Amino acid sequence: MIIKGIKQLFKKIKTKLPDKRNFIFNFIKKNSVCCEIGVWKGEFSELILKKNNPAKLYLVDPWKDFGENYFDKKHVKYRQENQNQRYNLVNKKFKKNILKKQVEILKMTSQEAFSELENIKFDFIYVDGNHQYDFVKYDIDNYFKLLNESGYLIGDDYRIDAVQKAVNDFIQTYKPKNFFVKNDQFILQKN
Ligand SMILES: C[S@@+](CC[C@H](N)C(=O)[O-])C[C@H]1O[C@@H](n2cnc3c(N)ncnc32)[C@H](O)[C@@H]1O
C-alpha cells in the first residue's frame, strides 16, 4: 500500500519534470522523417510530435509477449494483455496523426520492420526497443545505414552495460562523425 503510494507520487513528480530528452530537439531539424524503435505507451512519440512536428513518424513495436528471457525488465509488465492495452492506447492517442498519415504504426519487431523501412532516408532514428546486447547492436548496425547524410541515431539507457557495450562496439567499427552521451542518451551523428 505504502510502496504503491510512493510509486504513484514518483510518477506524478516525473510527469511534472521536463523530459530529460528535450535537448535532443535542439539539433534535430524540424519536420523530420523520424522512426522510434520501441514505443511502449507512446510517451516519447508524443514528445517527437510536439517538439519536431515530423513530416513522418514511424513507430515500431511488436507489443508482444516473447516470454521470460526476452526482456531486461520484469516479465509481468510484458504479458500479452498489458502489451495489447499499450498498443490500443497508442492507436487511440495518435488516431488523428495516423489518419493524416503523419504517423504510421508498424506492429512488429525492428528486425521485421527493417525490410519495410530500408528504402527510406531518416533524419532521426530513436533506438529504445529490446535493451539486450544483440538487439541493440542489430538496431544500431542496421538502422544507422538508413540515416540521411546529416541524420542522427539516438538511443536511450546508455547506463545499461549491454547498451553501452553495443554502442562502443559499433563505434569501433563504423567511426561515426560524432558521438556523445548526455542524460543517459547516446547520440550518433552520421556526417
Ligand atoms: C523502454 S520501452 C520504449 C519506451 C519508449 N521509447 C518511450 O520512451 O516512451 C521498450 C519497448 O520496446 C519494445 N520492443 C521489444 N523488443 C523490440 C524489438 N525487437 N523491436 C522493436 N521494439 C521492441 C517493447 O514492446 C517495449 O514497448
Side-chain angles (χ1 to χ4, degrees):
M1 194 69 177
I2 297 172
I3 293 174
K4 204 175 169 195
I6 294 172
K7 272 188 180 167
Q8 276 170 352
L9 183 68
F10 269 119
K11 212 171 168 187
K12 229 177 191 173
I13 295 170
K14 207 177 144 202
T15 52
K16 297 244 182 293
L17 290 172
D19 195 296
K20 66 174 181 181
R21 301 172 287 194
N22 276 340
F23 78 95
I24 290 172
F25 298 96
N26 294 337
F27 42 81
I28 309 293
K29 71 174 169 83
K30 290 262 181 216
N31 314 124
S32 282
V33 178
C34 308
C35 174
E36 183 181 5
I37 296 173
V39 179
W40 189 248
K41 295 179 190 167
E43 284 161 9
F44 187 61
S45 328
E46 278 183 278
L47 197 66
I48 299 176
L49 284 164
K50 188 174 140 203
K51 295 270 187 186
N52 189 271
N53 187 25
K56 187 87 185 183
L57 171 59
Y58 294 90
L59 299 179
V60 179
D61 196 311
W63 287 283
K64 192 173 165 181
D65 178 358
F66 287 99
E68 285 286 345
N69 298 319
Y70 181 80
F71 293 106
D72 56 325
K73 290 196 183 120
K74 275 193 192 145
H75 175 242
V76 63
K77 287 191 174 188
Y78 292 96
R79 290 224 177 99
Q80 195 55 53
E81 67 259 32
N82 297 333
Q83 290 285 51
N84 291 345
Q85 271 180 18
R86 288 190 278 269
Y87 174 62
N88 293 336
L89 173 77
V90 168
N91 270 285
K92 207 170 157 192
K93 221 183 227 183
F94 302 125
K95 195 176 169 192
K96 281 188 189 151
N97 311 80
I98 294 166
L99 276 174
K100 60 180 184 184
K101 299 199 183 314
Q102 184 186 27
V103 168
E104 190 171 327
I105 293 179
L106 300 173
K107 188 177 183 298
M108 56 186 84
T109 65
S110 53
Q111 293 88 335
E112 292 161 344
F114 190 76
S115 57
E116 308 266 330
L117 302 173
E118 67 183 339
N119 295 320
I120 301 169
K121 283 287 168 213
F122 289 93
D123 303 298
F124 173 41
I125 296 174
Y126 193 66
V127 172
D128 195 15
N130 187 308
H131 287 41
Q132 300 197 58
Y133 178 87
D134 289 344
F135 292 87
V136 183
K137 189 71 170 39
Y138 174 91
D139 288 344
I140 310 175
D141 279 353
N142 290 284
Y143 280 84
F144 192 77
K145 292 180 207 149
L146 305 190
L147 291 176
N148 71 30
E149 285 307 298
S150 55
Y152 285 88
L153 185 147
I154 299 178
D156 200 8
D157 298 313
Y158 188 74
R159 70 181 186 287
I160 296 175
D161 288 348
V163 174
Q164 217 170 100
K165 181 164 168 33
V167 173
N168 294 347
D169 287 352
F170 170 84
I171 290 163
Q172 296 298 321
T173 319
Y174 291 88
K175 311 225 176 327
K177 178 192 168 195
N178 199 359
F179 161 62
F180 66 97
V181 177
K182 184 175 169 177
N183 297 352
D184 206 20
Q185 312 296 299
F186 59 89
I187 291 98
L188 298 164
Q189 188 184 7
K190 196 158 185 195
N191 284 308

